[in-house]
Amino acid sequence: MIDVENVTKSYGPIKALRGISFDVAAGEIVGLLGPNGAGKTTTIKILTGSLQPNDGTVRVNGRDVLEHTREVQAGIGYLPETAPLYRELTVQGYLKMMAELRGIPEEERRARISEAVYATGLADHLVRPIGELSKGFRQRVGLAQAILHKPRLLILDEPTIGLDPTQVVEVRRLIRRLAERSTVLLSTHILSEVEALCDRVIILINGRIRADAELSELASTSDAVLVLNQETPGVDRALSGLPDVKGVELVTDGETTQGGEHRKRPGLHPQAVSRFPTYRVLGEDGDADLCPAIYDLARQEDWPVRELRQDVRTLESVFNELATSA
Protein backbone atom coordinates (compact mmCIF):
# COMPACT_ATOMS: atom_id res chain seq x y z
CA MET A 1 0.00 0.00 0.00
CA ILE A 2 2.87 2.40 0.84
CA ASP A 3 6.39 2.18 -0.58
CA VAL A 4 8.91 4.86 0.43
CA GLU A 5 12.43 4.65 -0.99
CA ASN A 6 15.36 6.81 0.10
CA VAL A 7 13.29 9.97 0.64
CA THR A 8 15.06 13.15 1.72
CA LYS A 9 13.63 16.56 2.55
CA SER A 10 15.33 19.75 3.67
CA TYR A 11 14.01 23.15 4.71
CA GLY A 12 16.99 25.30 3.87
CA PRO A 13 19.83 24.14 6.12
CA ILE A 14 17.50 21.95 8.20
CA LYS A 15 17.39 18.30 7.14
CA ALA A 16 13.94 17.01 8.06
CA LEU A 17 14.28 13.59 6.39
CA ARG A 18 17.62 11.87 5.75
CA GLY A 19 17.01 9.10 3.23
CA ILE A 20 14.18 7.17 4.85
CA SER A 21 12.79 3.94 3.37
CA PHE A 22 9.88 1.80 4.54
CA ASP A 23 6.80 0.01 3.26
CA VAL A 24 3.34 -0.70 4.61
CA ALA A 25 1.33 -3.68 3.39
CA ALA A 26 -2.41 -3.58 2.79
CA GLY A 27 -4.39 -4.23 5.98
CA GLU A 28 -1.62 -3.24 8.42
CA ILE A 29 -1.97 -0.80 11.31
CA VAL A 30 1.43 0.88 11.56
CA GLY A 31 2.53 3.49 14.06
CA LEU A 32 4.93 6.22 12.93
CA LEU A 33 6.49 7.13 16.26
CA GLY A 34 8.91 9.89 17.06
CA PRO A 35 9.49 12.97 19.23
CA ASN A 36 8.35 16.40 18.11
CA GLY A 37 10.52 17.54 15.21
CA ALA A 38 11.48 14.00 14.17
CA GLY A 39 10.04 14.36 10.66
CA LYS A 40 6.68 12.61 11.10
CA THR A 41 4.51 15.42 9.74
CA THR A 42 6.90 16.00 6.83
CA THR A 43 6.64 12.30 5.97
CA ILE A 44 2.85 12.46 6.02
CA LYS A 45 2.75 15.59 3.86
CA ILE A 46 4.92 13.85 1.28
CA LEU A 47 2.75 10.72 1.37
CA THR A 48 -0.39 12.77 0.81
CA GLY A 49 1.13 14.75 -2.07
CA SER A 50 1.02 18.14 -0.36
CA LEU A 51 4.82 18.38 -0.18
CA GLN A 52 7.52 17.30 -2.62
CA PRO A 53 10.65 15.51 -1.42
CA ASN A 54 14.10 16.65 -2.47
CA ASP A 55 14.95 13.12 -3.51
CA GLY A 56 13.57 9.59 -3.45
CA THR A 57 10.34 7.96 -4.60
CA VAL A 58 6.99 7.49 -2.88
CA ARG A 59 4.28 5.12 -4.13
CA VAL A 60 0.82 4.68 -2.69
CA ASN A 61 -1.22 1.73 -3.92
CA GLY A 62 1.36 1.22 -6.69
CA ARG A 63 1.17 4.78 -8.02
CA ASP A 64 3.92 7.38 -7.86
CA VAL A 65 2.69 10.25 -5.70
CA LEU A 66 4.46 12.92 -7.79
CA GLU A 67 3.21 11.59 -11.12
CA HIS A 68 -0.36 10.71 -10.05
CA THR A 69 -0.96 13.15 -7.21
CA ARG A 70 -4.72 13.65 -7.64
CA GLU A 71 -5.38 9.96 -8.12
CA VAL A 72 -3.34 9.07 -5.03
CA GLN A 73 -5.03 11.76 -2.93
CA ALA A 74 -8.46 10.50 -3.97
CA GLY A 75 -7.68 7.12 -2.37
CA ILE A 76 -6.43 8.50 0.95
CA GLY A 77 -8.45 9.41 4.03
CA TYR A 78 -6.44 11.99 5.95
CA LEU A 79 -6.99 13.43 9.40
CA PRO A 80 -4.36 16.09 10.18
CA GLU A 81 -3.48 17.02 13.75
CA THR A 82 -5.93 19.92 13.53
CA ALA A 83 -9.05 18.64 11.78
CA PRO A 84 -10.25 20.87 8.89
CA LEU A 85 -13.61 21.80 10.37
CA TYR A 86 -15.97 24.74 9.87
CA ARG A 87 -17.36 25.39 13.32
CA GLU A 88 -20.39 27.34 12.10
CA LEU A 89 -21.66 24.42 9.98
CA THR A 90 -23.77 21.60 11.34
CA VAL A 91 -22.27 18.12 11.26
CA GLN A 92 -24.63 17.15 8.46
CA GLY A 93 -23.94 20.29 6.45
CA TYR A 94 -20.20 19.86 6.77
CA LEU A 95 -20.29 16.22 5.68
CA LYS A 96 -22.48 17.08 2.70
CA MET A 97 -19.96 19.71 1.65
CA MET A 98 -17.05 17.26 2.06
CA ALA A 99 -18.87 14.58 0.07
CA GLU A 100 -19.31 17.05 -2.77
CA LEU A 101 -15.65 18.11 -2.59
CA ARG A 102 -14.64 14.45 -2.63
CA GLY A 103 -16.50 14.00 -5.88
CA ILE A 104 -18.87 11.38 -4.52
CA PRO A 105 -21.76 10.97 -7.01
CA GLU A 106 -24.90 12.72 -5.81
CA GLU A 107 -26.95 9.52 -5.79
CA GLU A 108 -24.40 7.90 -3.41
CA ARG A 109 -23.88 10.80 -0.99
CA ARG A 110 -26.74 10.07 1.39
CA ALA A 111 -25.61 6.45 1.85
CA ARG A 112 -21.94 7.40 2.26
CA ILE A 113 -22.73 10.10 4.82
CA SER A 114 -25.04 7.75 6.72
CA GLU A 115 -22.37 5.05 6.83
CA ALA A 116 -19.69 7.47 8.05
CA VAL A 117 -22.03 8.95 10.66
CA TYR A 118 -22.91 5.58 12.17
CA ALA A 119 -19.30 4.39 12.00
CA THR A 120 -18.19 7.40 14.05
CA GLY A 121 -21.15 7.55 16.43
CA LEU A 122 -22.43 10.95 15.28
CA ALA A 123 -26.06 10.03 14.61
CA ASP A 124 -27.37 12.07 17.56
CA HIS A 125 -25.38 15.18 16.63
CA LEU A 126 -26.19 15.74 12.95
CA VAL A 127 -28.00 19.06 13.36
CA ARG A 128 -25.65 20.54 15.94
CA PRO A 129 -23.11 23.18 14.90
CA ILE A 130 -19.60 21.73 15.01
CA GLY A 131 -18.47 24.56 17.26
CA GLU A 132 -20.84 23.35 19.99
CA LEU A 133 -19.39 19.85 20.08
CA SER A 134 -16.79 18.62 22.56
CA LYS A 135 -13.27 18.13 21.26
CA GLY A 136 -13.79 14.38 21.20
CA PHE A 137 -16.84 14.67 18.97
CA ARG A 138 -15.11 17.22 16.73
CA GLN A 139 -12.39 14.63 16.27
CA ARG A 140 -15.10 12.14 15.29
CA VAL A 141 -16.35 14.59 12.67
CA GLY A 142 -12.79 14.82 11.32
CA LEU A 143 -12.65 11.04 11.10
CA ALA A 144 -16.06 10.93 9.41
CA GLN A 145 -14.89 13.24 6.62
CA ALA A 146 -11.76 11.12 6.22
CA ILE A 147 -13.73 7.93 5.55
CA LEU A 148 -16.62 9.31 3.46
CA HIS A 149 -15.10 8.05 0.22
CA LYS A 150 -14.17 4.62 1.63
CA PRO A 151 -10.40 5.09 1.31
CA ARG A 152 -8.08 2.11 1.17
CA LEU A 153 -5.49 4.07 3.15
CA LEU A 154 -6.23 6.07 6.30
CA ILE A 155 -3.53 8.45 7.56
CA LEU A 156 -4.04 9.88 11.03
CA ASP A 157 -1.76 12.56 12.49
CA GLU A 158 -1.94 12.68 16.32
CA PRO A 159 -5.62 11.62 16.36
CA THR A 160 -6.05 11.78 20.16
CA ILE A 161 -3.94 14.84 20.97
CA GLY A 162 -5.62 17.06 23.56
CA LEU A 163 -8.45 14.62 24.33
CA ASP A 164 -9.42 13.57 27.84
CA PRO A 165 -8.95 9.90 28.85
CA THR A 166 -12.55 8.95 28.07
CA GLN A 167 -12.39 10.56 24.64
CA VAL A 168 -9.06 8.85 23.94
CA VAL A 169 -10.60 5.43 24.63
CA GLU A 170 -13.57 6.22 22.37
CA VAL A 171 -11.40 7.42 19.46
CA ARG A 172 -9.07 4.42 19.78
CA ARG A 173 -12.06 2.07 19.66
CA LEU A 174 -13.27 3.88 16.56
CA ILE A 175 -9.88 3.62 14.84
CA ARG A 176 -9.82 -0.13 15.45
CA ARG A 177 -13.20 -0.47 13.76
CA LEU A 178 -12.07 1.63 10.79
CA ALA A 179 -8.94 -0.50 10.46
CA GLU A 180 -11.09 -3.52 9.60
CA ARG A 181 -11.49 -2.16 6.07
CA SER A 182 -8.56 0.25 5.61
CA THR A 183 -4.79 0.25 5.95
CA VAL A 184 -3.91 2.68 8.77
CA LEU A 185 -0.77 4.77 9.24
CA LEU A 186 -0.89 6.45 12.63
CA SER A 187 1.57 9.26 13.37
CA THR A 188 2.13 10.07 17.03
CA HIS A 189 4.67 10.87 19.72
CA ILE A 190 2.56 9.09 22.37
CA LEU A 191 3.95 5.65 23.18
CA SER A 192 0.71 4.31 24.65
CA GLU A 193 -1.09 5.19 21.42
CA VAL A 194 1.13 2.85 19.44
CA GLU A 195 0.92 0.07 22.04
CA ALA A 196 -2.88 0.30 22.14
CA LEU A 197 -3.53 0.39 18.39
CA CYS A 198 -0.61 -0.87 16.32
CA ASP A 199 0.95 -4.21 15.50
CA ARG A 200 4.07 -2.63 14.02
CA VAL A 201 6.02 0.54 14.73
CA ILE A 202 8.41 2.69 12.71
CA ILE A 203 10.54 4.87 15.00
CA LEU A 204 11.70 8.10 13.39
CA ILE A 205 14.33 10.22 15.16
CA ASN A 206 16.15 13.23 13.71
CA GLY A 207 14.89 12.44 10.22
CA ARG A 208 16.16 8.84 10.26
CA ILE A 209 14.37 5.54 10.80
CA ARG A 210 15.92 3.98 13.87
CA ALA A 211 13.63 0.95 14.13
CA ASP A 212 11.00 -0.78 12.00
CA ALA A 213 9.57 -3.91 13.58
CA GLU A 214 6.57 -5.68 15.03
CA LEU A 215 5.96 -4.66 18.64
CA SER A 216 6.47 -8.27 19.71
CA GLU A 217 9.92 -8.26 18.04
CA LEU A 218 10.96 -5.07 19.84
CA ALA A 219 9.99 -6.60 23.18
CA SER A 220 12.03 -9.74 22.52
CA THR A 221 15.28 -9.97 24.48
CA SER A 222 17.60 -12.63 25.83
CA ASP A 223 18.65 -10.43 28.78
CA ALA A 224 18.00 -11.75 32.27
CA VAL A 225 17.62 -10.10 35.66
CA LEU A 226 19.10 -11.63 38.82
CA VAL A 227 18.16 -10.20 42.24
CA LEU A 228 20.03 -11.30 45.37
CA ASN A 229 19.03 -10.89 49.01
CA GLN A 230 22.38 -9.36 49.94
CA GLU A 231 25.66 -8.13 48.52
CA THR A 232 27.78 -11.03 47.30
CA PRO A 233 31.34 -10.59 45.99
CA GLY A 234 32.33 -11.82 42.54
CA VAL A 235 28.83 -12.16 41.09
CA ASP A 236 29.35 -9.94 38.05
CA ARG A 237 32.65 -11.63 37.21
CA ALA A 238 31.14 -15.12 37.47
CA LEU A 239 28.10 -14.15 35.36
CA SER A 240 30.34 -12.65 32.69
CA GLY A 241 32.00 -16.04 32.23
CA LEU A 242 28.79 -17.78 31.17
CA PRO A 243 28.28 -18.73 27.50
CA ASP A 244 26.26 -16.26 25.37
CA VAL A 245 26.75 -13.44 27.91
CA LYS A 246 28.15 -10.19 26.49
CA GLY A 247 28.03 -8.12 29.67
CA VAL A 248 26.68 -7.68 33.19
CA GLU A 249 25.21 -4.50 34.67
CA LEU A 250 24.58 -3.76 38.34
CA VAL A 251 21.30 -1.83 38.57
CA THR A 252 20.75 0.67 41.38
CA ASP A 253 17.96 3.30 41.36
CA GLY A 254 17.72 3.45 37.58
CA GLU A 255 21.50 3.50 37.04
CA THR A 256 23.69 0.71 35.77
CA THR A 257 27.30 -0.05 36.58
CA GLN A 258 29.38 -1.95 34.05
CA GLY A 259 33.11 -2.33 34.42
CA GLY A 260 33.13 0.27 37.22
CA GLU A 261 31.43 2.93 35.06
CA HIS A 262 28.14 4.42 36.28
CA ARG A 263 25.52 5.59 33.79
CA LYS A 264 21.79 6.17 33.60
CA ARG A 265 19.81 3.45 31.91
CA PRO A 266 16.91 5.22 30.14
CA GLY A 267 13.52 3.56 30.19
CA LEU A 268 14.64 0.71 32.46
CA HIS A 269 11.66 -1.46 33.28
CA PRO A 270 10.44 -0.64 36.83
CA GLN A 271 10.75 -4.27 37.94
CA ALA A 272 14.49 -4.09 37.28
CA VAL A 273 15.02 -1.42 39.95
CA SER A 274 15.24 -2.83 43.48
CA ARG A 275 16.76 -2.06 46.87
CA PHE A 276 18.34 -5.51 46.67
CA PRO A 277 21.49 -6.16 44.58
CA THR A 278 20.16 -6.45 41.02
CA TYR A 279 22.16 -7.64 38.02
CA ARG A 280 21.09 -7.32 34.41
CA VAL A 281 22.77 -10.03 32.36
CA LEU A 282 23.05 -9.03 28.69
CA GLY A 283 22.73 -11.83 26.16
CA GLU A 284 24.57 -12.15 22.86
CA ASP A 285 21.69 -13.89 21.08
CA GLY A 286 18.18 -12.41 21.04
CA ASP A 287 16.64 -15.90 21.11
CA ALA A 288 18.75 -17.39 23.90
CA ASP A 289 17.38 -17.99 27.41
CA LEU A 290 20.11 -17.29 29.95
CA CYS A 291 18.03 -18.15 33.02
CA PRO A 292 18.81 -21.91 33.20
CA ALA A 293 22.60 -21.31 33.09
CA ILE A 294 22.33 -18.50 35.66
CA TYR A 295 20.24 -20.74 37.92
CA ASP A 296 22.79 -23.55 37.75
CA LEU A 297 25.62 -21.10 38.51
CA ALA A 298 23.73 -19.58 41.44
CA ARG A 299 23.17 -23.02 42.96
CA GLN A 300 26.80 -23.95 42.45
CA GLU A 301 28.02 -20.73 44.10
CA ASP A 302 25.30 -20.79 46.78
CA TRP A 303 24.16 -17.22 46.03
CA PRO A 304 21.22 -15.88 48.09
CA VAL A 305 18.86 -15.64 45.10
CA ARG A 306 15.72 -13.58 45.61
CA GLU A 307 14.52 -13.48 42.00
CA LEU A 308 15.59 -14.68 38.56
CA ARG A 309 13.64 -13.83 35.42
CA GLN A 310 13.96 -12.90 31.80
CA ASP A 311 14.10 -9.14 31.36
CA VAL A 312 11.17 -7.19 29.92
CA ARG A 313 11.73 -4.59 27.21
CA THR A 314 8.97 -2.05 26.85
CA LEU A 315 8.37 0.26 23.91
CA GLU A 316 9.37 3.09 26.23
CA SER A 317 12.75 1.53 26.99
CA VAL A 318 13.44 0.83 23.31
CA PHE A 319 12.39 4.34 22.31
CA ASN A 320 14.48 6.03 25.00
CA GLU A 321 17.55 3.96 24.19
CA LEU A 322 17.27 4.93 20.51
CA ALA A 323 16.60 8.58 21.34
CA THR A 324 19.60 8.91 23.65
CA SER A 325 21.92 7.20 21.17
CA ALA A 326 20.77 9.29 18.17
Side-chain angles (χ1 to χ4, degrees), residues 5-285:
E5 296 181 8
N6 199 32
V7 167
T8 63
K9 180 63 182 177
S10 298
Y11 300 98
I14 300 174
K15 294 182 178 180
L17 297 177
R18 305 167 185 259
I20 67 169
S21 299
F22 66 91
D23 59 76
V24 177
E28 282 193 291
I29 307 177
V30 178
L32 184 61
L33 177 65
N36 292 327
K40 302 187 303 296
T41 298
T42 296
T43 301
I44 285 177
K45 287 182 176 180
I46 290 173
L47 284 172
T48 55
S50 59
L51 188 67
Q52 290 191 2
N54 296 117
D55 200 6
T57 59
V58 179
R59 295 182 181 85
V60 174
N61 199 21
R63 293 172 175 83
D64 189 290
V65 173
L66 293 181
E67 294 179 5
H68 307 279
T69 304
R70 293 296 187 190
E71 188 177 353
V72 168
Q73 289 174 336
I76 295 176
Y78 176 38
L79 177 64
E81 184 174 343
T82 303
L85 305 176
Y86 294 87
R87 298 171 68 93
E88 68 278 8
L89 293 179
T90 64
V91 173
Q92 182 173 275
Y94 171 74
L95 293 178
K96 284 182 178 179
M97 180 189 71
M98 294 305 298
E100 184 177 352
L101 290 174
R102 283 287 187 185
I104 297 173
E106 189 170 355
E107 63 273 14
E108 296 181 21
R109 289 176 194 169
R110 181 188 294 270
R112 295 287 186 90
I113 290 172
S114 178
E115 187 175 344
V117 162
Y118 282 101
T120 54
L122 290 169
D124 295 332
H125 303 275
L126 283 176
V127 296
R128 291 186 62 187
I130 293 173
E132 294 181 3
L133 299 176
S134 68
K135 188 165 185 178
F137 274 99
R138 292 200 300 272
Q139 200 75 337
R140 287 170 179 254
V141 176
L143 280 168
Q145 66 80 25
I147 64 173
L148 273 175
H149 55 304
K150 295 184 177 179
R152 295 186 62 186
L153 173 61
L154 195 57
I155 297 179
L156 310 175
D157 191 1
E158 304 286 1
T160 62
I161 193 75
L163 302 184
D164 65 39
T166 301
Q167 293 169 339
V168 167
V169 171
E170 292 174 350
V171 171
R172 285 177 180 173
R173 189 179 297 122
L174 172 58
I175 291 170
R176 288 192 199 98
R177 290 203 304 269
L178 297 176
E180 293 175 2
R181 67 182 188 190
S182 299
T183 302
V184 177
L185 180 65
L186 172 72
S187 170
T188 184
H189 66 277
I190 303 172
L191 298 173
S192 59
E193 197 88 318
V194 174
E195 291 177 318
L197 290 169
C198 304
D199 300 316
R200 175 177 155 219
V201 62
I202 298 170
I203 298 178
L204 189 64
I205 298 175
N206 293 333
R208 291 189 173 92
I209 292 178
R210 300 299 308 281
D212 180 357
E214 302 286 332
L215 289 179
S216 57
E217 292 177 16
L218 286 178
S220 176
T221 176
S222 63
D223 299 345
V225 174
L226 173 66
V227 184
L228 302 181
N229 280 315
Q230 63 188 45
E231 294 284 352
T232 304
V235 171
D236 52 351
R237 185 172 60 254
L239 290 171
S240 297
L242 290 174
D244 300 319
V245 171
K246 67 178 179 181
V248 179
E249 298 175 344
L250 175 61
V251 182
T252 55
D253 298 328
E255 291 189 351
T256 60
T257 303
Q258 187 173 11
E261 179 184 353
H262 293 267
R263 55 191 173 88
K264 285 286 185 183
R265 183 155 192 92
L268 191 67
H269 194 274
Q271 292 180 0
V273 180
S274 169
R275 62 189 180 90
F276 297 97
T278 302
Y279 298 87
R280 189 166 187 262
V281 187
L282 310 178
E284 292 278 8
D285 185 353

